[in-house]
Amino acid sequence: MNDVRIPKHVGIILDGNGRWAKERGLSRSMGHKEGLNTLEELVPSIYNSGVEVLSIYVFSTENFKRPKKEVDYLMGLFSNNFDRLQSICNANNIKILFSGRKENLSKKVLEVEDRLEESTKTNTRGILNICLNYGGMCELVDMTKKIISEQIPVEEINEEVLRNHLYQELPLLDLLIRTGGEMRVSNFMLYQLAYAEFYFTDVYFPDFKEEEWVKALSTYQQRDRRFGGIKDETESH
Ligand code: IPE
Ligand code: IPE
Ligand code: MG
């Protein structure tokens, strides 16, 4: 699908799991569990809308600051329940990629990352980029290290070179969604969001079902993207 009104690359900062659970008198863990259920429901709908790449922020480099119990629960959720996501992606011909630092992740989580990437690598309809132990600042540090270690001459450094040394070679973000009411980026895809349209909603992620996605998409479609240019060149004088 080449309709420009369909964002090619969508990013979701899935936030509000803890508050969703607290409002219901449940533990934060239950919020994370429900968030994963929502994600599983949402993935097919998003690709059915014509989106080619979906980047989801499931754990930031800073999330290690949380209590060990919560970190352990989240890691357990990733290692024990991502198999369902694998089946959904295989059923929908979606390739899975993981972005983020490998350090600090358990062997179990790393094995799951490898398995999901391996078992979906020939899928061609779209890409699900799972940002786990991901930080935008870390990505820029890692990009810089790669560029320096390849000894690329200073005069050859340009925007394209930088992009080619990010974790993945993906289109820049067209639409960035953040659920849970906070109006911040929290270290997500700092380079890739250069010209992204932002959509913030108070809806907590576990409640971000297909109809909320449709709202986000139609809001995006009403935006006027100019990329620094002007809308109507005939008006220029
Ligand atoms: C997002 O929900 C999930 C992760 C960051 C892993 P939160 O856990 O941040 O939920 P709130 O923001 O505390 O409600
Ligand atoms: C951002 O949410 C990280 C993820 C969604 C994985 P946080 O809940 O960690 O962000 P802050 O702390 O509110 O900025
Ligand atoms: Mg949060």
Side-chain angles (χ1 to χ4, degrees), residues 14-19 28 66 178 182 184:
L14 46 93
D15 197 23
N17 290 350
R19 283 164 286 161
R28 293 179 58 83
R66 295 190 179 196
R178 181 169 186 144
E182 310 293 356
R184 55 179 173 253

Side-chain angles (χ1 to χ4, degrees), residues 10-236:
V10 175
I12 305 182
I13 302 174
L14 46 93
D15 197 23
N17 290 350
R19 283 164 286 161
W20 180 91
K22 198 176 169 204
E23 276 189 4
R24 285 161 181 77
L26 302 169
S27 65
R28 293 179 58 83
S29 303
M30 289 305 103
H32 295 314
K33 191 168 169 232
E34 200 50 40
L36 183 58
N37 289 337
T38 295
L39 183 65
E40 289 165 1
E41 270 183 59
L42 206 54
V43 161
S45 317
I46 290 180
Y47 295 100
N48 287 340
S49 304
V51 169
E52 293 171 25
V53 183
L54 172 63
S55 289
I56 51 164
Y57 200 13
V58 299
F59 194 90
S60 72
T61 44
E62 290 75 26
N63 287 149
F64 275 112
K65 291 181 195 160
R66 295 190 179 196
K68 186 175 181 302
K69 212 176 124 216
E70 182 168 348
V71 171
D72 286 350
Y73 183 84
L74 280 164
M75 292 300 158
L77 203 59
F78 303 148
S79 45
N80 300 322
N81 295 282
F82 267 3
D83 283 355
R84 285 206 306 268
L85 210 49
Q86 171 182 331
S87 313
I88 291 166
C89 286
N90 276 325
N92 286 276
N93 195 14
I94 306 299
K95 175 155 86 177
I96 295 178
L97 299 174
F98 281 90
S99 294
R101 290 232 171 123
K102 303 296 173 201
E103 66 196 41
N104 298 326
L105 294 179
S106 67
K107 206 170 151 241
K108 252 183 118 179
V109 171
L110 292 174
E111 277 168 9
V112 168
E113 291 195 353
D114 286 346
R115 190 168 70 243
L116 265 59
E117 285 186 337
E118 185 59 31
S119 81
T120 61
K121 71 178 182 195
T122 57
N123 293 344
T124 53
R125 181 172 165 229
I127 293 173
L128 177 65
N129 176 35
I130 305 178
C131 300
L132 196 166
N133 195 17
Y134 173 87
M137 290 187 284
C138 281
E139 181 172 30
L140 297 180
V141 169
D142 293 343
M143 172 199 78
T144 308
K145 285 182 176 172
K146 273 188 255 171
I147 291 174
I148 292 173
S149 69
E150 287 174 26
Q151 299 183 321
I152 299 177
V154 173
E155 57 278 10
E156 283 176 27
I157 305 284
N158 58 29
E159 291 169 24
E160 220 40 48
V161 172
L162 265 58
R163 271 184 72 175
N164 294 339
H165 289 80
L166 294 170
Y167 290 141
Q168 313 290 352
E169 288 190 31
L170 296 174
L172 296 179
L173 274 177
D174 296 303
L175 169 61
L176 175 64
I177 297 171
R178 181 169 186 144
T179 61
E182 310 293 356
M183 307 262 198
R184 55 179 173 253
V185 165
S186 300
N187 204 11
F188 188 56
M189 299 206 135
L190 300 180
Y191 187 100
Q192 298 89 331
L193 58 69
Y195 268 102
E197 295 295 327
F198 286 22
Y199 179 84
F200 293 107
T201 170
D202 288 339
V203 172
Y204 295 139
F205 187 71
D207 291 330
F208 193 84
K209 301 284 162 86
E210 186 173 9
E211 60 182 67
E212 294 298 331
W213 155 246
V214 170
K215 270 193 228 169
L217 180 60
S218 61
T219 302
Y220 171 86
Q221 291 173 332
Q222 286 153 29
R223 300 276 175 89
D224 176 21
R225 301 188 80 193
R226 290 190 291 275
F227 299 97
I230 55 171
K231 196 177 177 189
D232 182 356
E233 285 190 16
T234 59
E235 284 175 14
S236 185

